[in-house]
Amino acid sequence: MMGNCLRRSEKLTAEIVPHEGSTSYHAVRLRGSPESILNAYVRLASVSTNSIPSDRRFLPPASTTSTAARSRVPDCTDNEITTTVQVRSEGVTGSRDALLRFIDSRFPGLSSAPPQAYAPTAMAAVVSKGEVETTSLMVRMTKMQHKSMTWHLERMVRWAEDLARRGGRRAVDPKVGSWRMEVRKFSKSYCQLLEVMMEHAQMEERVLFPIFDSADRGLSKHAKEEHARDLPIMNGIREIIKSVEVLDSGSPNYRETLHTLSSRLRSLQGQCNQHFQSEDVELLPMMEAVKLSDEQDRIALEHCFDVMQGTHRPLLKFFLEGLAPHDAMKYLDLISMCRDKEKMERMLQVILE
């Protein structure tokens, strides 16, 4: 388990690498505290970086930084730590708004990347005032978890279909490794997704559903029944994967086992998509009628973090991979609301290390 003390990287230069689908590659300098929520935002703003401590206050040259960006640079002493992004000779120090606008202006191609690259503009991450005020934190968290699990399920289905087509032949890309190496990677990815899905179900049953049932007994009955329906299928898929791992790829029933795996995953995907859609459209909108106070909503959010420790600690990177950058940063907004700052920093450490 991670300790409470956050280590500081000794690296002086980080690189921002655009998502797949972009043809440009830019070296940047990122300065700031490794535990800073701003650094987490920068890492997820359609790019990926490493975080380093600030060795001195950095202000970009006046000739290369807009007036709007400069106006957001906070007053600070040389001993205080700020977050700075610099691309070549240009840079900005300041608020999240300033940093994200700077990223958008220097990486304009990211917003036109194909949908599967998940690269909308960085400023799309800034949650509107209306959304913050009117949407329950619990609803926002649940919907984004649905999005991530949907993305990962689609990825696993396509991967399983590809394995079934190849039937024991290794991938063309040597980076994937041998056939058995790929099957082990597939097994690991499914086990990670299974843990996220199990924790999500536990969160709903221990935190979300009781909120609805307190307002109208039995309101979440159908959703609970669907959880019970899907669990045997999820565990059955895990057993099939174990069979694929131990069977000889030349055995007569090997291809049949692969096709069974692909079919079961496709079935699970259909049932989960229907379940998520039903909750998003029918159940979650009723949260407004429940009328939780802001304090009750925030306490429930904190409880979710406690229930889903795997998702919000070792599996946080995996979970965020399933979200578009603007949604990933909205999810960081939820994490940043955690009143236990040590707990919040332990969660962020996973993506900042």
Side-chain angles (χ1 to χ4, degrees):
M1 296 295 292
M2 289 173 284
N4 293 336
C5 297
L6 300 180
R7 296 178 57 190
R8 295 180 181 273
S9 169
E10 298 301 325
K11 295 180 180 179
L12 296 178
T13 303
E15 290 184 341
I16 285 181
V17 184
H19 277 257
E20 182 180 356
S22 175
T23 58
S24 57
Y25 180 87
H26 303 272
V28 307
R29 185 176 295 272
L30 174 63
R31 297 180 182 275
S33 168
E35 63 266 33
S36 166
I37 190 72
L38 274 180
N39 275 339
Y41 282 121
V42 171
R43 291 185 61 123
L44 292 169
S46 303
V47 296
S48 175
T49 75
N50 289 320
S51 175
I52 62 172
S54 177
D55 52 0
R56 57 184 171 82
R57 182 180 181 189
F58 172 84
L59 290 176
S63 61
T64 60
T65 308
S66 68
T67 302
R70 288 200 305 274
S71 68
R72 295 183 179 94
V73 176
D75 292 331
C76 60
T77 66
D78 289 343
N79 292 328
E80 288 181 318
I81 294 177
T82 59
T83 297
T84 296
V85 178
Q86 182 178 359
V87 181
R88 297 172 182 168
S89 62
E90 300 178 89
V92 66
T93 299
S95 68
R96 177 180 71 170
D97 181 50
L99 296 177
L100 297 182
R101 287 188 186 280
F102 179 77
I103 290 170
D104 273 345
S105 67
R106 296 306 178 270
F107 301 94
L110 291 174
S111 60
S112 60
Q116 61 269 30
Y118 282 106
T121 58
M123 280 308 299
V126 179
V127 181
S128 67
K129 182 178 179 181
E131 181 177 357
V132 172
E133 291 179 345
T134 62
T135 305
S136 161
L137 302 177
M138 290 294 301
V139 170
R140 289 167 56 193
M141 167 180 267
T142 304
K143 285 188 173 183
M144 281 188 278
Q145 289 179 6
H146 288 169
K147 286 182 180 182
S148 177
M149 291 183 290
T150 298
W151 185 90
H152 279 291
L153 272 170
E154 175 65 19
R155 171 176 170 265
M156 296 304 301
V157 165
R158 291 187 181 185
W159 195 353
E161 290 174 346
D162 184 54
L163 290 175
R165 279 193 299 268
R166 285 186 281 126
R169 297 189 304 273
R170 72 182 186 131
V172 176
D173 187 353
K175 294 179 182 177
V176 178
S178 68
W179 171 263
R180 293 210 173 274
M181 290 169 64
E182 183 179 3
V183 170
R184 284 196 295 269
K185 290 176 182 177
F186 181 91
S187 176
K188 179 180 178 181
S189 290
Y190 180 76
C191 287
Q192 290 174 323
L193 174 58
L194 184 60
E195 183 171 350
V196 171
M197 293 177 71
M198 294 288 288
E199 286 196 342
H200 171 79
Q202 290 173 14
M203 177 277 289
E204 289 189 331
E205 292 176 5
R206 293 170 58 181
V207 184
L208 185 66
F209 293 165
I211 293 174
F212 287 114
D213 290 341
S214 67
D216 184 352
R217 180 184 296 181
L219 197 59
S220 64
K221 180 176 181 290
H222 181 64
K224 292 176 184 176
E225 291 173 348
E226 290 184 340
H227 283 184
R229 174 202 65 188
D230 293 340
L231 181 59
I233 300 175
M234 293 158 60
N235 288 331
I237 290 172
R238 181 171 54 184
E239 295 306 311
I240 296 174
I241 294 174
K242 289 180 181 179
S243 297
V244 173
E245 288 185 281
V246 299
L247 280 174
D248 189 301
S249 59
S251 62
N253 61 339
Y254 194 74
R255 281 181 173 271
E256 181 181 350
T257 304
L258 288 172
H259 282 288
T260 300
L261 171 62
S262 175
S263 176
R264 295 287 175 82
L265 269 169
R266 178 65 73 181
S267 176
L268 175 65
Q269 180 190 35
Q271 291 186 182
C272 287
N273 286 349
Q274 179 273 327
H275 173 72
F276 297 155
Q277 179 73 6
S278 175
E279 287 189 347
D280 288 349
V281 174
E282 298 174 12
L283 185 62
L284 294 179
M286 293 187 189
M287 184 64 78
E288 185 176 350
V290 174
K291 295 189 181 300
L292 287 182
S293 68
D294 290 344
E295 179 66 14
Q296 290 172 322
D297 199 22
R298 191 156 181 170
I299 290 173
L301 181 70
E302 295 265 5
H303 193 186
C304 290
F305 292 140
D306 293 333
V307 173
M308 302 184 68
Q309 291 196 28
T311 301
H312 293 96
R313 297 280 182 83
L315 293 178
L316 183 58
K317 275 186 179 179
F318 174 85
F319 169 78
L320 293 175
E321 284 175 5
L323 295 176
H326 66 288
D327 281 330
M329 287 186 282
K330 288 178 182 178
Y331 207 85
L332 290 183
D333 276 332
L334 298 177
I335 292 177
S336 71
M337 293 177 186
C338 185
R339 288 169 173 162
D340 184 339
K341 296 309 175 185
E342 287 188 355
K343 180 166 65 177
M344 180 193 75
E345 290 171 356
R346 287 195 297 271
M347 287 187 275
L348 292 179
Q349 176 69 25
V350 177
I351 60 175
L352 291 174
E353 64 187 5

